[in-house]
Amino acid sequence: METFRTFCLLVLAAVAGAMGAQPVTLSAKPLSEALKNSNLLLPVQDANHTQAVGAVTALLLNQPGAAELAAFHTRLAQIAQHKDTRLGRLFFAALDACPDLEQISAEDESARVDVEFPLALGSALRVQVGWARNKMQWLIAEFTIDITGNAGALFATAGPYFGIGRPQPAVLDAAELDYLLGRDPAQRLMLESEREPFDFDAALRRRCALEAGASAALLAKLAEGLTDRRTPAEKTELLAPHLSAEAAKALREQGTAIAFWDGLQKQLALLLALPRATGAPAARGGKVQVGRTRQGVHVEWSLSRQDTGRLALGKGTVDAAGK
């Protein structure tokens, strides 16, 4: 049954080895703070500039080579310089909203979070951060922020935030960003004096809002509810709203066997021990996916915000090669 296989995939890596050292939490927020540092604008020879650049590189697994340093310093300076533009605020709002990863074990080799905040006009703001364990440290091995969808094409490669091109003032503060955040496109045809006021920052906060503790709360609710105290029908009605429409349909058609629910209860107990995001997008259509690699086995699971406002569990995937 697809629903049962979904939960089996989610927990395959949970039984590999003991937990070892105390779990840690990984966060993208230190990188965000380091990139905002105005000292990145100082001359390269300045000690405060050296310290500011060091605060960024100390978080990264991959270090710039000698031939890349000049371009690296320029990019960092541009990111800090334009942080108060509309595009800069969009970039940092997404990075600041990226949820932390909790329950990372010392036995894990890598971990990643991929969060998608829905924008208007079929676009989305996507943040991907991946960490790798380097001896006793967790360092950022992957970091990207993208604007997806045709409506965001103007900004998809805009420097310095979404590409390496030279920053363009007209793009950094482009009015088109309003419409990605939900302003009525019909107002483009009106004179500026006739348009309704639009609060860019408030709209940005709504788009990047998180429901804190959503992963833990949902898993705890399901683990508590899917017990022997409830009938299969009651369990089905508890679980179905938190599955995709296809999986919920299959559950209602086949989820009556006692053995199925016994197995599912055990799988959920194991799932509670896996890494999870500390928050999930509050806006409908948002999604957060967590991945973890341990001993060459990669496991992923996700939560997506449905049109009903509820969170739905997504399929897990396991690649024996750890890719």
Side-chain angles (χ1 to χ4, degrees), residues 12-13 16 109 292-299 318-323:
L12 281 178
E109 299 156 7
R292 190 276 308 274
T293 302
R294 181 191 292 181
Q295 296 179 354
V297 177
H298 186 70
V299 60
V318 175
D319 180 348
K323 297 180 180 178

Side-chain angles (χ1 to χ4, degrees), residues 77-137:
Q78 291 172 342
I79 289 174
Q81 178 183 2
H82 300 291
K83 63 186 178 183
D84 293 325
T85 64
R86 287 184 168 200
L87 199 63
R89 279 141 60 195
L90 183 81
F91 174 90
F92 280 111
L95 184 53
D96 289 337
C98 180
D100 297 346
L101 282 185
E102 59 185 1
Q103 297 196 153
I104 303 297
S105 168
E107 296 182 0
D108 296 335
E109 299 156 7
S110 65
R112 62 176 289 138
V113 60
D114 183 337
V115 59
E116 189 169 297
F117 300 103
L119 301 176
L121 306 176
S123 292
L125 192 55
R126 185 179 183 186
V127 185
Q128 297 171 286
V129 185
W131 291 264
R133 184 162 52 84
N134 183 27
K135 297 180 181 179
M136 299 302 293
Q137 285 186 302

Side-chain angles (χ1 to χ4, degrees), residues 37-72:
N37 192 342
S38 297
N39 285 343
L40 293 169
L41 301 173
L42 295 173
V44 174
Q45 299 82 4
D46 193 296
N48 289 325
H49 176 271
T50 302
Q51 185 178 20
V53 172
V56 176
T57 57
L59 302 171
L60 306 179
L61 178 65
N62 301 312
Q63 300 292 310
E68 302 169 308
L69 273 178
F72 182 67

Side-chain angles (χ1 to χ4, degrees), residues 277-302:
T278 56
R284 286 164 173 76
K287 180 179 179 180
V288 60
Q289 181 167 298
V290 173
R292 190 276 308 274
T293 302
R294 181 191 292 181
Q295 296 179 354
V297 177
H298 186 70
V299 60
E300 293 180 352
W301 71 287
S302 66

Side-chain angles (χ1 to χ4, degrees), residues 215-289:
S215 302
L218 176 57
L219 294 178
K221 170 187 172 182
L222 295 179
E224 172 65 23
L226 301 179
T227 67
D228 292 339
R229 297 193 302 272
R230 301 196 181 209
T231 67
E234 290 173 331
K235 295 176 185 178
T236 296
E237 291 311 306
L238 174 67
L239 179 59
H242 301 290
L243 298 174
S244 67
E246 181 182 355
K249 179 181 179 182
L251 176 64
R252 289 192 168 97
E253 292 175 349
Q254 305 177 46
T256 58
I258 299 298
F260 166 79
W261 290 108
D262 288 345
L264 185 56
Q265 186 176 346
K266 294 176 182 178
Q267 304 301 332
L268 277 169
L270 292 173
L271 181 55
L272 281 165
L274 286 176
R276 60 180 176 238
T278 56
R284 286 164 173 76
K287 180 179 179 180
V288 60
Q289 181 167 298

